Amino acid sequence: MSARPGSATPIYLDYAATSPVREEVVAEMLGCLGKDGAFANPSSTHALGRAAARIVAQAKVRIAARIGADPDGLVFTSGATEANNLALVGVLGASRARRHLVTTLIEHKSVLDCARALEAKGTEVTYVRCGPDGIVDPDALERAIRPDTALVSVMHVNNETGMIQPIAEIASRCRAREIPLHVDAAQAVGKIPVDLRALGVDLCSLTAHKVGGPKGVGALWIRPGISIEPMLHGGEQQRGLRPGTLPTHQIAGMGKAFELADPEVEGPHLADLRRRLRDALAEIDDVHVNGDFDRGAPHILNVAFPGVDGEALRFALRGLAVSAGSACMADSPEASHVLSTMGLSDAAALASIRFSFGPTTTADEIDTAARLIAEAVPRLRRLALGAPAWCRELRSGRATGPGGLR
Amino acid sequence: MSARPGSATPIYLDYAATSPVREEVVAEMLGCLGKDGAFANPSSTHALGRAAARIVAQAKVRIAARIGADPDGLVFTSGATEANNLALVGVLGASRARRHLVTTLIEHKSVLDCARALEAKGTEVTYVRCGPDGIVDPDALERAIRPDTALVSVMHVNNETGMIQPIAEIASRCRAREIPLHVDAAQAVGKIPVDLRALGVDLCSLTAHKVGGPKGVGALWIRPGISIEPMLHGGEQQRGLRPGTLPTHQIAGMGKAFELADPEVEGPHLADLRRRLRDALAEIDDVHVNGDFDRGAPHILNVAFPGVDGEALRFALRGLAVSAGSACMADSPEASHVLSTMGLSDAAALASIRFSFGPTTTADEIDTAARLIAEAVPRLRRLALGAPAWCRELRSGRATGPGGLR
Amino acid sequence: MEYSFDVERRFDSPAGAGNIEAPREGAVAHGEAEDRSLNVWIRFEVQADGGTIREARFRAFGCPHTIAAASWAAEALRGAPVDALRSFDVDAARRALNVPKEKLGKLLRIEDALRACAERLTEAALEPLEG
Amino acid sequence: MEYSFDVERRFDSPAGAGNIEAPREGAVAHGEAEDRSLNVWIRFEVQADGGTIREARFRAFGCPHTIAAASWAAEALRGAPVDALRSFDVDAARRALNVPKEKLGKLLRIEDALRACAERLTEAALEPLEG
Ligand SMILES: Cc1ncc(COP(=O)(O)O)c(C=O)c1O
Ligand SMILES: Cc1ncc(COP(=O)(O)O)c(C=O)c1O
């Protein structure tokens, strides 16, 4: 049984951290690497450079089609982390009079840490909480908007819980007040339909590696007319907004991955797997889905197993490749800021696991995972028999403000 | 003859803009892409994540070996553009009292434009000129250093002329005054020996795609103890200095490319090609090497063809993939800031071509290129018979200050 | 986080886990320790026979290293003089099991729990002399 | 930069390039124009026969579009009334050759050179009437 602890290849249930690159995407990338391929610099004016530039243009069309947007608005970056930073720093930097940013407590670290850095340089930031279900209330968000608000930044799908945020409602409120809205759609693309035109979003962060594309490439889509400053300087690539030699193979791979990552095609399979795992885990006592199951994206199921230590649980489940919270804080012993904001106790937050699925995940893998969990959790709980209440309680009364984030 | 104007595949003589990815590098990258490879997030703590982390660690060792440095000092970026920005913004940002930067007029745009952006935010910048040979005088550089200088930034090999800058001499002067020295080695690696330990360099920008590695990945090497702030925020990857999911395949590819790009092995072939082209072009009247031939890196030959229009020359040579100056300003009609600083007239700077070679360039390709040039230049000069002197003069008396850069 | 082979083995089948069936009232002493900020709780039970520890068992809510070290301690204490409860050096367990240094904070709770056992044992340890 | 097929063809073999062998003193008028900031210089020679342009030739230091447009102009002017030198519309050449709009600045120097020819032609053009 290849999924047993200690065996060589664990079952990969960490697609929200990153995904294997699809075969068709690899093929696309290979076409841009060797001497016979479109390896030249897309900014070069010679014939080989123009061939590379055409590939970049084609990728833009594919990416834009997946998000219902105009290809010209795309600025390629090294990923969503950079796109998020560019959106926040760039819009606040270009804004003279308005020095206030609204975001939420459940954003990815690349938004939260960037917001902190902006605070240190004089931007005022309001961090809106989410409910116990992990979802931000559009009314609460609207109340945070001030006359001097320069930007609102809210993620589309939360990377830890998978909860889908009410972007359409938030966007209409931002539009009514003429405040640009930035959406981090890193976890939404390919999982749920994303239509920036219909939603009325002004800036949108994207990344390739969550949808079977390569790591190290992403984009910020910017609606024409939005004022934004570059973060990196040098060269005229991408209208000076983001210089550096364009990585054709990465962009081509992102384009292909976005073309293939169709939520209409892949969503139902993911949703089946998610439901299957939820149903199997419901057989174990005292197991809780973090968030509102019915409002989650199809590829993420975050589950709390109160009464066990999180690290022990993950080690017991080393036959599964899963994350506690997000990969970018994988080595830290702190409880997830998202789960804490939702009101989970530290112990329960630490004892939560994010399971996430991809197009090649099978029902068999889910069943094996459920069996391993059904063995590990009761065993660890027996070992902790007699432990005090704090080891077992799911929720804390405590509220977490932005000060509690790090 | 595939090199004739209008034919499908031009002869690629633009390796300084970017290079095809080596076969062995492609193989290394492929090992990190598919489901059977090391595709996981290197920051994930599960077994698959740790497998990816080991690949990253191995790549660091290979990269560090090529530049004579400690692997722990490497911070991966999206390329040398970002590395240059991080070095300048990061060191100036971390420096409280010292607000002065010394750099040169021949740096890559990613240094010059970043220095401009810093100026706009209160940093004082001194731009040191080069001589007519394209080489910066260490004494002139030393004179620019002030008590409040926070950083000196000088490139190792100029990307337009290939001129090797006297880094060892500059480094010893910086060390004597305890000023950190940043070196952009994007064009030096693989072409000439780079030994940061011996040189005494404190920060060094690297990129993969100039040495047969993939585009979109590079690194900043930072000596331990150098104070530097991050530009991007979010997540704890790379000690917080540069967050974002590490692109394992890109890093693995960079590692392999740096391992293979041995100047001792590849330098002599490049030098032969360069000399061969220079000798062939010497047969044409009034042709001039920009810079000091004997002090150039082996992969770049920059030549002025006074008396012809640059765009017409490049179009006549469309059987060759070559650049006027650097690719990042390929579409701009402005004369190269580097050649202008060296004292070339605008017309001669515009009528200069950078030929650059790689390990797979052949002597045959050089010979064909030389023949095409020997046909095109006299033809265009005949067409311009009777043109005024400014069309034909090589040098301008005019001096260019920093104000003349854009 | 790195786990040695010994940690892995003891985590998968933790020798010494569980409770002691008390042969008679008072023959078993227990002691607990916890550190909520470190997410760790440990309980030991020891049964003494005169000046000798006949049996030691633990329960734990904690990381794999904590569980492995508690298991190691339970085995090491069996047959040792009761003084060992106070002098037990958890860093020896840490070294034996190849546990990273940064886990010492959690592991020290094992010493606390054993000392708590020793406190209670002073009374209970009288029993065998009587019986 | 994009080059149409016509630009390419005229650049590779520019019809109308060169000088005119003057049949006799004064029969050929020339005109030049330049814009150093645009890196362009153009010289035209025209030979008139009464009110008609018998021949037009050019030389140019300039971009492929400029060379192509000058070649187009030289051919278009052959057989045209001398007034055409003043009324020549280089934008027609631009459109015919599919030259990008941003090149118009350079191309306008062709009109200047032709007008300079026209200036000088006023005297020379008298000749055929006498001969
Ligand atoms: C919601 C969200 N935003 C941003 C990121 C950062 O993306 P990248 O790894 O491309 O920098 C991630 C994933 O890491 C994410 O899940
Ligand atoms: C000297 C020099 N520095 C920096 C760069 C920028 O490198 P990258 O394309 O990796 O951003 C280049 C090439 O483009 C270069 O030649």
Side-chain angles (χ1 to χ4, degrees), chain B residues 52-327:
Chain B
R54 276 192 296 274
I55 288 182
V56 170
Q58 183 195 37
K60 281 190 170 186
V61 170
R62 289 172 168 174
I63 295 163
R66 176 61 59 227
I67 58 171
D70 170 22
D72 290 341
L74 289 167
V75 173
F76 289 107
T77 65
S78 59
T81 293
E82 184 186 340
N84 284 340
N85 276 262
L86 177 55
L88 269 58
V89 175
V91 171
L92 268 295
S95 158
R96 299 279 152 260
R98 299 173 162 202
R99 310 290 319 145
H100 179 240
L101 170 70
V102 174
T103 186
T104 85
L105 278 177
I106 61 168
E107 299 302 308
H108 187 260
K109 284 252 170 186
S110 53
V111 167
L112 288 175
D113 285 2
C114 185
R116 293 278 166 188
L118 284 168
E119 276 188 281
K121 295 194 172 150
T123 298
E124 280 187 73
V125 183
T126 303
Y127 300 88
V128 179
R129 309 178 55 79
C130 65
D133 55 3
I135 295 170
V136 172
D137 172 7
D139 292 331
L141 193 120
E142 188 174 19
R143 282 193 297 274
I145 294 178
R146 310 193 316 209
D148 64 338
T149 302
L151 183 70
V152 172
S153 179
V154 183
M155 72 199 325
H156 204 331
V157 168
N158 182 271
N159 53 305
E160 297 192 30
T161 63
M163 290 302 111
I164 302 170
Q165 305 303 318
I167 297 299
E169 291 81 349
I170 291 170
S172 74
R173 284 161 166 85
C174 289
R175 232 165 338 155
R177 290 156 168 269
E178 297 184 354
I179 315 261
L181 171 64
H182 166 246
V183 168
D184 174 357
Q187 295 286 354
V189 168
K191 313 311 183 328
I192 59 170
V194 175
D195 187 340
L196 298 188
R197 250 185 302 265
L199 288 170
V201 166
D202 299 294
L203 303 104
C204 181
S205 295
L206 306 169
T207 191
H209 74 98
K210 312 279 187 189
V211 292
K215 288 180 250 307
V217 64
L220 180 65
W221 182 83
I222 308 167
R223 182 182 298 286
I226 295 291
S227 301
I228 183 162
E229 272 183 10
M231 286 196 84
L232 298 179
H233 301 275
E236 268 95 60
Q237 295 102 336
Q238 308 203 76
R239 291 165 283 141
L241 241 178
R242 209 307 197 151
T245 303
L246 284 171
T248 322
H249 69 295
Q250 296 275 92
I251 291 169
M254 179 170 178
K256 192 69 188 173
F258 269 55
E259 182 181 88
L260 295 173
D262 184 345
E264 309 245 322
V265 174
E266 301 186 339
H269 173 62
L270 299 174
D272 283 349
L273 298 170
R274 180 170 179 260
R275 195 170 309 106
R276 190 181 189 96
L277 182 59
R278 194 265 317 250
D279 292 349
L281 297 183
E283 304 288 313
I284 311 169
D285 270 356
D286 200 19
V287 160
H288 307 269
V289 171
N290 291 319
D292 179 347
F293 181 81
D294 296 322
R295 296 181 68 185
H299 68 307
I300 297 179
L301 186 72
N302 193 312
V303 181
F305 300 94
V308 304
D309 169 69
E311 189 190 331
L313 178 61
R314 287 194 305 282
F315 189 55
L317 297 178
R318 61 197 178 279
L320 310 179
V322 290
S323 284
S326 64

Side-chain angles (χ1 to χ4, degrees), chain A residues 135-185:
Chain A
I135 295 170
V136 171
D137 172 9
D139 293 331
L141 193 121
E142 189 173 19
R143 282 192 299 273
I145 294 176
R146 310 193 315 208
D148 64 339
T149 301
L151 183 69
V152 172
S153 178
V154 183
M155 71 199 326
H156 205 331
V157 168
N158 181 271
N159 52 306
E160 297 193 28
T161 64
M163 290 304 110
I164 302 170
Q165 305 303 320
I167 296 299
E169 292 82 348
I170 291 170
S172 74
R173 285 163 167 85
C174 290
R175 230 165 340 154
R177 288 156 168 271
E178 297 184 353
I179 315 262
L181 172 63
H182 166 246
V183 169
D184 174 358

Side-chain angles (χ1 to χ4, degrees), chain A residues 135 163-164 274-275 278 289 291-297:
Chain A
I135 295 170
M163 290 304 110
I164 302 170
R274 180 170 180 261
R275 197 173 305 104
R278 195 268 312 252
V289 170
D292 179 347
F293 181 81
D294 296 324
R295 296 181 67 185

Side-chain angles (χ1 to χ4, degrees), chain A residues 2 24 183 197 228 235 324 398:
Chain A
S2 80
E24 304 91 326
V183 169
R197 251 184 302 264
I228 183 163
R398 178 170 44 92

Side-chain angles (χ1 to χ4, degrees), chain A residues 14 21 39 215 249-250, chain B residues 21 33 39 46 215 249-250:
Chain A
D14 205 10
V21 177
F39 74 86
K215 288 179 251 306
H249 69 294
Q250 295 276 90
Chain B
V21 177
L33 294 176
F39 73 86
H46 48 63
K215 288 180 250 307
H249 69 295
Q250 296 275 92

Side-chain angles (χ1 to χ4, degrees), chain A residues 235-291:
Chain A
E236 268 97 59
Q237 295 102 339
Q238 308 204 77
R239 290 165 281 140
L241 241 179
R242 210 304 197 156
T245 304
L246 284 170
T248 322
H249 69 294
Q250 295 276 90
I251 291 169
M254 180 171 178
K256 191 69 188 174
F258 269 56
E259 182 181 88
L260 295 173
D262 184 346
E264 308 244 322
V265 173
E266 301 187 339
H269 173 62
L270 298 174
D272 284 349
L273 298 171
R274 180 170 180 261
R275 197 173 305 104
R276 189 181 189 96
L277 183 58
R278 195 268 312 252
D279 292 349
L281 297 183
E283 304 288 312
I284 312 171
D285 271 356
D286 199 19
V287 160
H288 307 269
V289 170
N290 291 319

